Amino acid sequence: MDILLIFMIFATVCPLFFARRRMWGLAILQGTLVLGMWDYFLSHFTSITVLNAPTSIIAFYGSLMLADVALIMLLINFFKELDTKKLPSFRSELRSQMK
């Protein structure tokens, strides 16, 4: 349950990630799927629901899958930047800076 909530929070932030990368179509799609995702999630804890069940189930799983795509894109970008930058080896450079 905790991992599901972490992915749901990440899926909620994903439209901002897509908008930052100028992928406006994916940002709008993810934004609409997030509404259905939270509707489906909250319908299990309360008796209030806005969408019908099949629509919110599709939105729930679609939003999580699109969030996984965003996570993979984020990790690929992170490792590309990590490969291009020269990272300091902390022990040797910290000791040389202290002298």
Side-chain angles (χ1 to χ4, degrees):
M1 184 75 172
D2 295 337
I3 294 174
L4 178 66
L5 285 174
I6 290 170
F7 268 108
M8 288 177 66
I9 291 169
F10 182 72
T12 305
V13 177
C14 277
L16 300 174
F17 171 75
F18 287 133
R20 183 175 173 204
R21 295 175 76 62
R22 304 207 189 288
M23 298 179 175
W24 301 109
L26 288 176
I28 292 170
L29 178 65
Q30 180 69 11
T32 56
L33 289 175
V34 163
L35 295 175
M37 175 187 68
W38 283 108
D39 177 59
Y40 180 74
F41 182 75
L42 293 175
S43 69
H44 289 290
F45 293 107
T46 64
S47 60
I48 301 170
T49 184
V50 178
L51 300 173
N52 57 2
T55 306
S56 61
I57 290 172
I58 291 169
F60 182 78
Y61 290 114
S63 178
L64 291 179
M65 284 187 212
L66 203 54
D68 287 336
V69 169
L71 181 63
I72 290 169
M73 289 171 60
L74 184 71
L75 288 174
I76 288 172
N77 188 28
F78 173 74
F79 284 118
K80 278 185 180 178
E81 288 182 8
L82 190 67
D83 191 35
T84 59
K85 292 180 182 177
K86 181 184 178 292
L87 294 177
S89 58
F90 292 107
R91 296 194 90 190
S92 62
E93 289 192 17
L94 285 176
R95 288 182 182 170
S96 64
Q97 289 175 358
M98 289 180 173
K99 291 179 181 179

XYZ file of all heavy atoms in Angstrom:
801
model
N 0.823 -1.190 0.000
C 0.000 0.000 0.000
C 0.871 1.259 0.000
O 0.541 2.230 -0.651
C -0.912 -0.055 1.227
C -1.876 1.069 1.291
S -3.178 0.817 0.112
C -4.268 2.098 0.553
N 1.973 1.224 0.729
C 2.846 2.391 0.788
C 3.490 2.681 -0.564
O 3.582 3.838 -0.974
C 3.947 2.183 1.826
C 3.391 2.070 3.238
O 2.272 2.565 3.462
O 4.072 1.481 4.086
N 3.914 1.627 -1.249
C 4.532 1.815 -2.562
C 3.512 2.358 -3.545
O 3.835 3.208 -4.382
C 5.159 0.498 -3.049
C 6.319 0.129 -2.135
C 5.609 0.606 -4.478
C 6.919 -1.209 -2.412
N 2.282 1.904 -3.429
C 1.219 2.415 -4.295
C 1.012 3.909 -4.081
O 0.899 4.675 -5.038
C -0.081 1.657 -4.045
C -1.284 2.132 -4.848
C -1.065 1.867 -6.320
C -2.542 1.465 -4.364
N 1.004 4.342 -2.832
C 0.843 5.772 -2.548
C 2.033 6.591 -3.059
O 1.861 7.706 -3.549
C 0.640 5.997 -1.056
C -0.731 5.614 -0.528
C -0.762 5.744 0.982
C -1.803 6.465 -1.155
N 3.230 6.036 -2.963
C 4.407 6.742 -3.478
C 4.294 6.906 -4.982
O 4.555 7.992 -5.520
C 5.699 5.996 -3.080
C 5.938 6.130 -1.577
C 6.885 6.525 -3.854
C 7.037 5.255 -1.050
N 3.878 5.837 -5.685
C 3.709 5.949 -7.131
C 2.569 6.892 -7.488
O 2.638 7.595 -8.502
C 3.469 4.578 -7.762
C 4.724 3.911 -8.213
C 5.228 2.823 -7.534
C 5.414 4.371 -9.316
C 6.383 2.209 -7.939
C 6.579 3.765 -9.733
C 7.065 2.680 -9.039
N 1.514 6.933 -6.675
C 0.411 7.852 -6.956
C 0.848 9.301 -6.781
O 0.464 10.172 -7.560
C -0.784 7.529 -6.066
C -1.484 6.244 -6.463
S -2.838 5.809 -5.387
C -3.966 7.127 -5.722
N 1.658 9.572 -5.792
C 2.172 10.927 -5.602
C 3.113 11.288 -6.744
O 3.062 12.406 -7.282
C 2.857 11.051 -4.225
C 1.807 10.959 -3.122
C 3.644 12.346 -4.119
C 2.366 10.811 -1.734
N 3.957 10.336 -7.152
C 4.831 10.585 -8.295
C 4.017 10.807 -9.567
O 4.345 11.669 -10.383
C 5.810 9.423 -8.487
C 6.769 9.642 -9.612
C 7.795 10.564 -9.488
C 6.642 8.951 -10.798
C 8.684 10.789 -10.525
C 7.516 9.161 -11.844
C 8.537 10.084 -11.708
N 2.940 10.040 -9.745
C 2.076 10.213 -10.914
C 1.385 11.573 -10.889
O 1.124 12.163 -11.937
C 1.032 9.103 -10.963
N 1.116 12.092 -9.712
C 0.499 13.409 -9.598
C 1.473 14.512 -10.007
O 1.070 15.528 -10.573
C 0.014 13.634 -8.145
O -0.860 12.551 -7.790
C -0.728 14.933 -8.003
N 2.751 14.314 -9.767
C 3.764 15.306 -10.105
C 4.223 15.177 -11.566
O 4.774 16.118 -12.132
C 4.966 15.162 -9.130
C 6.089 16.125 -9.461
C 4.505 15.373 -7.710
N 3.962 14.032 -12.180
C 4.433 13.768 -13.548
C 3.994 14.801 -14.593
O 4.768 15.078 -15.507
C 4.009 12.382 -13.993
S 5.136 11.139 -13.396
N 2.779 15.354 -14.545
C 2.457 16.373 -15.553
C 3.425 17.553 -15.543
O 3.737 18.119 -16.598
C 1.042 16.815 -15.183
C 0.455 15.662 -14.481
C 1.595 15.011 -13.756
N 3.939 17.904 -14.387
C 4.932 18.978 -14.308
C 6.240 18.554 -14.968
O 6.896 19.362 -15.630
C 5.177 19.367 -12.852
C 3.956 19.868 -12.093
C 4.300 20.077 -10.627
C 3.416 21.123 -12.721
N 6.608 17.289 -14.791
C 7.813 16.768 -15.434
C 7.661 16.803 -16.955
O 8.568 17.220 -17.671
C 8.082 15.341 -14.944
C 9.168 14.633 -15.698
C 10.494 14.955 -15.479
C 8.867 13.652 -16.623
C 11.499 14.305 -16.159
C 9.859 13.002 -17.309
C 11.184 13.332 -17.086
N 6.504 16.351 -17.458
C 6.275 16.359 -18.901
C 6.212 17.781 -19.442
O 6.710 18.057 -20.532
C 4.985 15.615 -19.251
C 5.091 14.119 -19.112
C 4.109 13.409 -18.466
C 6.164 13.426 -19.642
C 4.183 12.037 -18.347
C 6.259 12.053 -19.520
C 5.260 11.357 -18.870
N 5.612 18.694 -18.703
C 5.530 20.089 -19.154
C 6.918 20.721 -19.193
O 7.210 21.531 -20.078
C 4.605 20.874 -18.244
N 7.759 20.368 -18.258
C 9.124 20.918 -18.241
C 9.923 20.452 -19.455
O 10.765 21.175 -19.971
C 9.821 20.487 -16.955
C 11.187 21.053 -16.813
C 11.776 20.703 -15.492
N 13.163 21.131 -15.469
C 14.073 20.611 -14.687
N 13.748 19.662 -13.849
N 15.300 21.041 -14.721
N 9.644 19.224 -19.909
C 10.323 18.687 -21.084
C 9.584 19.029 -22.369
O 9.922 18.510 -23.419
C 10.479 17.175 -20.949
C 11.395 16.831 -19.778
C 11.510 15.384 -19.497
N 12.308 14.540 -20.337
C 13.606 14.623 -20.554
N 14.261 15.612 -20.040
N 14.238 13.749 -21.284
N 8.580 19.887 -22.288
C 7.778 20.359 -23.417
C 7.065 19.232 -24.146
O 6.925 19.249 -25.359
C 8.630 21.164 -24.379
C 9.323 22.332 -23.722
C 9.612 23.439 -24.678
N 10.457 24.473 -24.111
C 10.084 25.355 -23.188
N 8.897 25.300 -22.685
N 10.927 26.278 -22.762
N 6.594 18.272 -23.404
C 5.760 17.194 -23.940
C 4.326 17.483 -23.516
O 3.785 16.865 -22.597
C 6.229 15.840 -23.417
C 7.616 15.486 -23.822
S 8.069 13.908 -23.122
C 9.652 13.666 -23.874
N 3.716 18.450 -24.167
C 2.428 18.973 -23.734
C 1.309 17.941 -23.848
O 0.402 17.910 -23.016
C 2.082 20.233 -24.511
C 3.112 21.302 -24.337
C 4.000 21.746 -25.265
C 3.397 22.035 -23.140
N 4.818 22.710 -24.724
C 4.468 22.903 -23.419
C 2.868 22.027 -21.854
C 4.997 23.763 -22.477
C 3.398 22.881 -20.914
C 4.455 23.738 -21.231
N 1.363 17.100 -24.863
C 0.338 16.068 -25.015
C 0.333 15.090 -23.854
O -0.717 14.754 -23.307
N 1.531 14.629 -23.481
C 1.640 13.713 -22.342
C 1.286 14.405 -21.025
O 0.714 13.788 -20.130
C 3.039 13.123 -22.261
C 3.400 12.088 -23.321
C 4.851 11.660 -23.164
C 2.480 10.901 -23.235
N 1.595 15.684 -20.922
C 1.265 16.422 -19.693
C -0.247 16.532 -19.522
O -0.774 16.327 -18.422
C 1.898 17.808 -19.720
N -0.942 16.837 -20.605
C -2.405 16.952 -20.526
C -3.035 15.585 -20.281
O -3.955 15.444 -19.459
C -2.947 17.617 -21.801
C -2.498 19.077 -21.844
C -4.461 17.517 -21.880
C -2.772 19.769 -23.152
N -2.537 14.558 -20.978
C -3.055 13.207 -20.780
C -2.838 12.737 -19.347
O -3.760 12.208 -18.712
C -2.382 12.247 -21.764
C -2.784 10.778 -21.649
C -4.248 10.595 -22.012
C -1.901 9.932 -22.539
N -1.645 12.949 -18.820
C -1.359 12.529 -17.451
C -2.202 13.318 -16.456
O -2.657 12.768 -15.463
C 0.130 12.685 -17.139
C 0.533 12.279 -15.747
C 0.433 10.799 -15.486
O 0.248 10.001 -16.389
N 0.558 10.425 -14.239
N -2.416 14.599 -16.727
C -3.246 15.405 -15.826
C -4.673 14.891 -15.737
O -5.263 14.835 -14.652
N -5.235 14.496 -16.861
C -6.599 13.957 -16.830
C -6.638 12.568 -16.201
O -7.586 12.238 -15.479
C -7.201 13.901 -18.248
O -6.341 13.147 -19.085
C -7.363 15.285 -18.816
N -5.613 11.767 -16.461
C -5.576 10.441 -15.851
C -5.406 10.515 -14.339
O -5.902 9.657 -13.610
C -4.460 9.602 -16.469
C -4.680 9.124 -17.901
C -3.437 8.412 -18.408
C -5.885 8.225 -18.003
N -4.708 11.536 -13.860
C -4.500 11.690 -12.417
C -5.838 11.929 -11.709
O -6.067 11.396 -10.620
C -3.499 12.837 -12.136
C -3.572 13.303 -10.705
C -2.096 12.383 -12.454
N -6.719 12.696 -12.331
C -8.028 12.934 -11.719
C -8.798 11.626 -11.568
O -9.400 11.366 -10.514
C -8.817 13.936 -12.555
C -8.233 15.344 -12.624
C -9.040 16.197 -13.583
C -8.181 15.963 -11.251
N -8.794 10.805 -12.598
C -9.460 9.516 -12.509
C -8.791 8.574 -11.535
O -9.453 7.776 -10.861
N -7.462 8.658 -11.444
C -6.721 7.806 -10.519
C -7.122 8.102 -9.082
O -7.431 7.206 -8.304
C -5.215 8.018 -10.704
C -4.354 7.265 -9.723
S -2.618 7.687 -9.830
C -2.625 9.366 -9.252
N -7.146 9.379 -8.723
C -7.507 9.742 -7.359
C -8.990 9.480 -7.091
O -9.370 9.151 -5.970
C -7.148 11.192 -7.060
C -5.685 11.344 -6.818
C -4.774 11.918 -7.642
C -4.950 10.879 -5.678
N -3.511 11.841 -7.089
C -3.592 11.215 -5.891
C -5.294 10.208 -4.516
C -2.600 10.895 -4.970
C -4.299 9.900 -3.604
C -2.971 10.242 -3.824
N -9.835 9.608 -8.119
C -11.249 9.282 -7.953
C -11.419 7.805 -7.624
O -12.170 7.435 -6.732
C -12.022 9.643 -9.219
C -13.478 9.249 -9.119
O -14.151 9.748 -8.192
O -13.936 8.450 -9.945
N -10.717 6.952 -8.354
C -10.788 5.511 -8.098
C -10.234 5.174 -6.718
O -10.813 4.368 -5.987
C -10.022 4.755 -9.176
C -10.026 3.259 -9.003
C -11.175 2.519 -9.272
C -8.882 2.587 -8.586
C -11.186 1.143 -9.119
C -8.890 1.214 -8.434
C -10.043 0.497 -8.699
O -10.053 -0.849 -8.535
N -9.137 5.788 -6.348
C -8.528 5.510 -5.045
C -9.445 5.955 -3.906
O -9.664 5.212 -2.948
C -7.173 6.213 -4.948
C -6.445 5.955 -3.667
C -5.825 4.744 -3.441
C -6.363 6.929 -2.688
C -5.143 4.492 -2.264
C -5.689 6.694 -1.507
C -5.074 5.478 -1.289
N -9.992 7.163 -4.025
C -10.844 7.680 -2.945
C -12.211 7.013 -2.907
O -12.857 6.996 -1.859
C -10.988 9.191 -3.081
C -9.708 9.986 -2.846
C -9.936 11.464 -3.114
C -9.187 9.766 -1.442
N -12.653 6.446 -4.015
C -13.949 5.767 -4.009
C -13.913 4.505 -3.149
O -14.959 4.026 -2.715
C -14.384 5.420 -5.430
O -13.561 4.416 -5.970
N -12.741 3.966 -2.885
C -12.643 2.800 -2.021
C -12.661 3.181 -0.537
O -12.952 2.331 0.300
C -11.382 2.002 -2.330
C -11.457 1.284 -3.629
N -12.268 0.209 -3.826
C -10.847 1.499 -4.813
C -12.155 -0.222 -5.065
N -11.293 0.562 -5.691
N -12.380 4.434 -0.224
C -12.377 4.860 1.171
C -13.619 5.652 1.543
O -13.923 5.802 2.721
C -11.126 5.690 1.465
C -9.875 4.877 1.390
C -8.997 5.021 0.327
C -9.572 3.949 2.368
C -7.851 4.267 0.244
C -8.430 3.185 2.293
C -7.561 3.338 1.230
N -14.321 6.191 0.563
C -15.556 6.935 0.809
C -16.629 6.404 -0.136
O -16.363 5.611 -1.028
C -15.358 8.441 0.556
O -15.056 8.650 -0.819
C -14.260 9.015 1.426
N -17.843 6.870 0.043
C -18.923 6.435 -0.842
C -19.122 7.426 -1.992
O -20.022 7.246 -2.807
C -20.222 6.299 -0.046
O -20.563 7.550 0.514
N -18.292 8.452 -2.063
C -18.432 9.481 -3.092
C -17.526 9.137 -4.268
O -16.328 8.895 -4.098
C -18.054 10.865 -2.546
C -18.956 11.218 -1.368
C -18.143 11.919 -3.640
C -18.511 12.442 -0.610
N -18.078 9.118 -5.465
C -17.295 8.913 -6.677
C -17.889 9.751 -7.793
O -19.090 9.967 -7.843
C -17.226 7.428 -7.074
O -16.373 7.307 -8.193
C -18.582 6.854 -7.381
N -17.054 10.252 -8.658
C -17.491 11.113 -9.744
C -17.632 10.316 -11.037
O -18.615 10.424 -11.755
C -16.511 12.287 -9.932
C -16.925 13.166 -11.089
C -16.406 13.089 -8.651
N -16.621 9.514 -11.345
C -16.621 8.742 -12.582
C -17.233 7.364 -12.345
O -17.287 6.878 -11.218
C -15.189 8.579 -13.091
C -14.426 9.856 -13.402
C -12.987 9.528 -13.721
C -15.073 10.580 -14.557
N -17.664 6.726 -13.428
C -18.121 5.348 -13.278
C -16.907 4.437 -13.132
O -15.779 4.807 -13.438
C -19.021 4.930 -14.439
C -18.332 5.082 -15.779
O -17.173 5.453 -15.856
N -19.065 4.784 -16.835
N -17.132 3.224 -12.681
C -16.035 2.331 -12.311
C -15.083 2.003 -13.466
O -13.868 2.104 -13.283
C -16.596 1.059 -11.691
N -15.564 1.610 -14.657
C -14.587 1.261 -15.706
C -13.700 2.436 -16.119
O -12.504 2.255 -16.374
C -15.452 0.800 -16.877
C -16.740 0.403 -16.273
C -16.919 1.283 -15.078
N -14.258 3.628 -16.161
C -13.469 4.793 -16.541
C -12.384 5.082 -15.511
O -11.239 5.351 -15.862
C -14.369 6.031 -16.708
O -15.410 5.710 -17.614
C -13.590 7.218 -17.207
N -12.730 5.017 -14.246
C -11.743 5.328 -13.221
C -10.703 4.222 -13.085
O -9.553 4.492 -12.760
C -12.421 5.610 -11.879
O -13.144 4.479 -11.444
N -11.070 2.970 -13.359
C -10.083 1.889 -13.312
C -9.064 2.064 -14.428
O -7.850 1.929 -14.221
C -10.772 0.510 -13.411
C -11.545 0.229 -12.129
C -9.759 -0.594 -13.658
C -12.413 -0.997 -12.196
N -9.549 2.399 -15.633
C -8.637 2.641 -16.760
C -7.738 3.833 -16.463
O -6.543 3.797 -16.727
C -9.443 2.848 -18.057
C -10.094 1.534 -18.470
C -8.551 3.378 -19.171
C -11.108 1.661 -19.577
N -8.309 4.883 -15.873
C -7.513 6.062 -15.525
C -6.485 5.724 -14.451
O -5.354 6.216 -14.492
C -8.416 7.189 -15.049
N -6.869 4.891 -13.487
C -5.955 4.508 -12.408
C -4.724 3.793 -12.964
O -3.587 4.203 -12.718
C -6.695 3.611 -11.414
C -5.869 3.190 -10.242
C -5.653 4.066 -9.187
C -5.314 1.929 -10.178
C -4.900 3.684 -8.094
C -4.562 1.536 -9.097
C -4.352 2.418 -8.050
N -4.943 2.736 -13.728
C -3.816 1.974 -14.254
C -3.076 2.731 -15.353
O -1.857 2.629 -15.464
C -4.278 0.605 -14.741
C -4.668 -0.299 -13.596
C -5.983 -0.707 -13.421
C -3.719 -0.717 -12.679
C -6.336 -1.523 -12.361
C -4.060 -1.527 -11.616
C -5.375 -1.925 -11.466
O -5.707 -2.719 -10.408
N -3.785 3.482 -16.162
C -3.126 4.278 -17.199
C -2.215 5.334 -16.615
O -1.110 5.573 -17.117
N -2.663 5.973 -15.541
C -1.846 6.990 -14.885
C -0.592 6.382 -14.282
O 0.496 6.958 -14.380
C -2.657 7.698 -13.810
O -1.872 8.637 -13.144
N -0.724 5.215 -13.670
C 0.455 4.570 -13.090
C 1.431 4.119 -14.172
O 2.645 4.208 -13.990
C 0.035 3.394 -12.211
C -0.690 3.769 -10.914
C -1.077 2.520 -10.150
C 0.151 4.675 -10.049
N 0.913 3.642 -15.303
C 1.809 3.231 -16.391
C 2.528 4.431 -17.002
O 3.723 4.362 -17.293
C 1.019 2.496 -17.464
C 0.665 1.096 -17.091
S -0.060 0.279 -18.495
C -1.175 -0.822 -17.693
N 1.822 5.535 -17.179
C 2.456 6.732 -17.720
C 3.461 7.312 -16.725
O 4.485 7.875 -17.116
C 1.392 7.771 -18.091
C 1.768 8.805 -19.125
C 2.283 8.149 -20.390
C 0.569 9.667 -19.448
N 3.187 7.150 -15.431
C 4.160 7.581 -14.424
C 5.415 6.721 -14.481
O 6.525 7.219 -14.258
C 3.541 7.514 -13.034
N 5.266 5.434 -14.782
C 6.446 4.575 -14.956
C 7.264 5.011 -16.162
O 8.497 4.986 -16.117
C 6.037 3.113 -15.113
C 5.556 2.507 -13.814
O 5.938 3.023 -12.749
O 4.804 1.523 -13.865
N 6.601 5.406 -17.241
C 7.313 5.930 -18.415
C 8.094 7.179 -18.029
O 9.259 7.341 -18.403
C 6.321 6.230 -19.560
C 6.987 7.014 -20.672
C 5.732 4.938 -20.091
N 7.473 8.061 -17.252
C 8.160 9.276 -16.812
C 9.335 8.948 -15.907
O 10.393 9.587 -15.992
C 7.183 10.195 -16.085
N 9.176 7.947 -15.054
C 10.270 7.551 -14.171
C 11.443 7.006 -14.973
O 12.604 7.323 -14.690
C 9.782 6.513 -13.165
C 10.802 6.018 -12.152
C 11.277 7.163 -11.271
C 10.218 4.907 -11.322
N 11.172 6.207 -15.990
C 12.238 5.672 -16.839
C 12.929 6.809 -17.586
O 14.158 6.844 -17.676
C 11.673 4.620 -17.794
C 11.271 3.377 -17.004
C 12.677 4.260 -18.875
C 10.467 2.372 -17.783
N 12.152 7.771 -18.103
C 12.755 8.918 -18.786
C 13.624 9.726 -17.830
O 14.706 10.189 -18.197
C 11.658 9.812 -19.372
C 10.942 9.202 -20.551
S 9.499 10.144 -21.064
C 10.228 11.719 -21.476
N 13.168 9.887 -16.607
C 13.926 10.625 -15.606
C 15.224 9.904 -15.271
O 16.284 10.533 -15.173
C 13.075 10.811 -14.348
C 13.669 11.630 -13.231
C 13.707 13.099 -13.628
C 12.858 11.460 -11.970
N 15.177 8.587 -15.124
C 16.386 7.829 -14.811
C 17.368 7.830 -15.969
O 18.583 7.929 -15.757
C 16.018 6.400 -14.426
C 15.350 6.235 -13.069
C 14.906 4.792 -12.876
C 16.259 6.671 -11.954
N 16.875 7.721 -17.194
C 17.772 7.774 -18.356
C 18.469 9.122 -18.418
O 19.688 9.195 -18.627
C 16.993 7.490 -19.655
C 16.603 6.019 -19.717
C 17.812 7.876 -20.875
C 15.669 5.676 -20.850
N 17.719 10.195 -18.201
C 18.303 11.541 -18.210
C 19.321 11.699 -17.076
O 20.394 12.283 -17.271
C 17.200 12.587 -18.093
C 17.726 13.979 -18.290
O 18.710 14.191 -18.988
N 17.074 14.939 -17.681
N 19.010 11.153 -15.911
C 19.917 11.249 -14.769
C 21.231 10.529 -15.052
O 22.313 11.058 -14.791
C 19.246 10.657 -13.528
C 20.153 10.558 -12.340
C 20.512 11.693 -11.631
C 20.661 9.342 -11.942
C 21.364 11.610 -10.540
C 21.508 9.234 -10.862
C 21.860 10.375 -10.152
N 21.158 9.315 -15.607
C 22.381 8.568 -15.858
C 23.183 9.146 -17.018
O 24.404 9.032 -17.040
C 22.072 7.087 -16.090
C 21.749 6.370 -14.814
C 20.509 5.789 -14.622
C 22.674 6.285 -13.798
C 20.204 5.141 -13.442
C 22.386 5.640 -12.606
C 21.140 5.058 -12.433
N 22.520 9.774 -17.988
C 23.260 10.457 -19.047
C 24.032 11.643 -18.482
O 25.182 11.871 -18.843
C 22.303 10.942 -20.142
C 21.932 9.887 -21.123
C 21.087 10.471 -22.232
C 20.695 9.433 -23.242
N 19.832 9.977 -24.292
N 23.404 12.417 -17.601
C 24.096 13.539 -16.973
C 25.204 13.047 -16.058
O 26.261 13.669 -15.968
C 23.111 14.399 -16.186
C 22.192 15.220 -17.053
C 21.256 16.084 -16.238
O 21.430 16.156 -15.002
O 20.344 16.667 -16.826
N 24.985 11.953 -15.400
C 25.988 11.389 -14.508
C 27.208 10.916 -15.298
O 28.339 11.051 -14.849
C 25.384 10.225 -13.728
C 26.177 9.638 -12.587
C 26.285 10.651 -11.458
C 25.517 8.377 -12.093
N 26.963 10.396 -16.497
C 28.057 9.898 -17.339
C 28.884 11.052 -17.916
O 30.092 10.931 -18.075
C 27.482 9.047 -18.468
C 28.563 8.293 -19.207
O 29.543 7.881 -18.561
O 28.424 8.117 -20.431
N 28.233 12.197 -18.207
C 28.958 13.309 -18.816
C 29.721 14.148 -17.789
O 30.699 14.786 -18.132
C 28.009 14.227 -19.596
O 27.009 14.726 -18.718
C 27.369 13.477 -20.752
N 29.286 14.150 -16.551
C 29.967 14.939 -15.518
C 31.050 14.100 -14.860
O 30.914 12.912 -14.671
C 28.971 15.381 -14.449
C 27.957 16.375 -14.933
C 27.030 16.757 -13.812
C 25.969 17.718 -14.304
N 25.013 18.038 -13.246
N 32.122 14.781 -14.503
C 33.169 14.105 -13.746
C 32.848 14.289 -12.269
O 32.868 15.390 -11.743
C 34.538 14.697 -14.051
C 35.647 14.008 -13.308
C 36.977 14.693 -13.564
C 38.062 14.025 -12.771
N 37.933 14.226 -11.353
N 32.517 13.209 -11.641
C 32.185 13.268 -10.230
C 33.451 13.154 -9.398
O 34.329 12.341 -9.700
C 31.224 12.140 -9.865
C 29.850 12.228 -10.513
C 29.027 11.016 -10.127
C 29.141 13.487 -10.096
N 33.554 13.950 -8.355
C 34.754 13.864 -7.516
C 34.733 12.596 -6.671
O 33.681 12.133 -6.256
C 34.661 15.104 -6.633
C 33.209 15.397 -6.571
C 32.639 14.986 -7.906
N 35.890 12.037 -6.451
C 35.970 10.972 -5.463
C 36.126 11.686 -4.130
O 37.086 12.402 -3.892
C 37.140 10.047 -5.762
O 38.324 10.797 -5.769
N 35.172 11.534 -3.286
C 35.039 12.393 -2.117
C 36.204 12.291 -1.148
O 36.635 13.285 -0.609
C 33.723 12.075 -1.394
C 32.528 12.465 -2.195
C 31.735 11.514 -2.795
C 32.214 13.797 -2.361
C 30.635 11.871 -3.535
C 31.115 14.167 -3.107
C 30.319 13.205 -3.697
N 36.738 11.156 -0.948
C 37.791 11.027 0.053
C 39.052 11.774 -0.359
O 39.591 12.537 0.412
C 38.112 9.566 0.290
C 36.940 8.810 0.882
C 37.384 7.511 1.402
N 37.754 7.714 2.797
C 38.359 6.839 3.540
N 38.721 5.695 3.022
N 38.642 7.082 4.795
N 39.516 11.570 -1.563
C 40.797 12.162 -1.939
C 40.682 13.675 -2.141
O 41.556 14.425 -1.743
C 41.340 11.495 -3.198
O 40.445 11.700 -4.259
N 39.600 14.135 -2.749
C 39.483 15.568 -3.020
C 39.161 16.362 -1.750
O 39.582 17.495 -1.610
C 38.440 15.827 -4.103
C 38.924 15.375 -5.455
C 38.046 15.883 -6.577
O 37.267 16.833 -6.350
O 38.144 15.326 -7.668
N 38.414 15.761 -0.850
C 38.142 16.458 0.395
C 39.415 16.602 1.226
O 39.652 17.629 1.849
C 37.073 15.729 1.199
C 35.647 15.875 0.699
C 34.703 15.022 1.551
C 35.214 17.324 0.756
N 40.229 15.596 1.202
C 41.484 15.684 1.962
C 42.428 16.690 1.336
O 43.141 17.402 2.037
C 42.157 14.305 2.023
C 41.444 13.354 2.932
C 42.153 12.043 2.998
N 41.418 11.122 3.858
C 41.685 9.862 3.968
N 42.676 9.335 3.278
N 40.978 9.099 4.750
N 42.456 16.771 0.019
C 43.353 17.722 -0.620
C 42.861 19.164 -0.438
O 43.661 20.092 -0.399
C 43.504 17.414 -2.110
O 42.263 17.585 -2.763
N 41.559 19.363 -0.306
C 41.033 20.712 -0.091
C 41.274 21.174 1.351
O 41.368 22.375 1.601
C 39.536 20.745 -0.396
C 39.215 20.622 -1.849
C 37.717 20.546 -2.088
O 36.939 20.559 -1.151
N 37.348 20.495 -3.356
N 41.366 20.260 2.274
C 41.559 20.630 3.673
C 42.992 21.073 3.947
O 43.252 21.771 4.891
C 41.191 19.462 4.595
C 39.739 19.178 4.662
S 39.475 17.802 5.769
C 37.716 17.775 5.855
N 43.928 20.663 3.135
C 45.330 20.980 3.387
C 45.646 22.410 3.052
O 45.104 23.136 2.406
C 46.234 20.065 2.581
C 46.166 18.649 3.081
C 47.063 17.774 2.245
C 46.965 16.348 2.745
N 47.803 15.456 1.961
